[in-house]
Amino acid sequence: MPPDAAAPTPATHNLWTIARIQDVLTSPVLVRRFLLDMAHAPEPEVMNVFTAWRRVAATIEAHASRSTAPEMRTAPERLAEDGS
């Protein structure tokens, strides 16, 4: 039986898309700026603009994943980390 073509492969679920960058940018101002930059970039520069904003989004995503404050974690999460 052939694999389902619609199912994402593990390698593709982490690909950066315009939608993913937009989701990661937490500020409406940043989202608006990103979309304007993409819309107004001349064809030869579209990938450079995309890459620059991908780096911004990746940095935001990395900081967000590292900055879960201890007081924001649930009791089971704290217990699991404490080994209790």
Side-chain angles (χ1 to χ4, degrees), residues 25-49:
L25 299 174
T26 54
S27 162
V29 173
L30 286 178
V31 171
R32 200 165 33 253
R33 176 67 186 266
F34 164 62
L35 294 174
L36 281 170
D37 284 357
M38 288 297 295
H40 291 279
E43 180 196 358
E45 293 299 315
V46 169
M47 285 309 298
N48 292 335
V49 171

Side-chain angles (χ1 to χ4, degrees), residues 68-74 78:
T68 304
E71 62 275 3
M72 298 299 290
R73 292 176 294 169
T74 64
R78 288 192 303 269

Side-chain angles (χ1 to χ4, degrees), residues 43-65:
E43 180 196 358
E45 293 299 315
V46 169
M47 285 309 298
N48 292 335
V49 171
F50 180 88
T51 300
W53 279 101
R54 180 192 51 80
R55 288 183 184 134
V56 170
T59 301
I60 291 170
E61 191 174 69
H63 284 287
S65 68

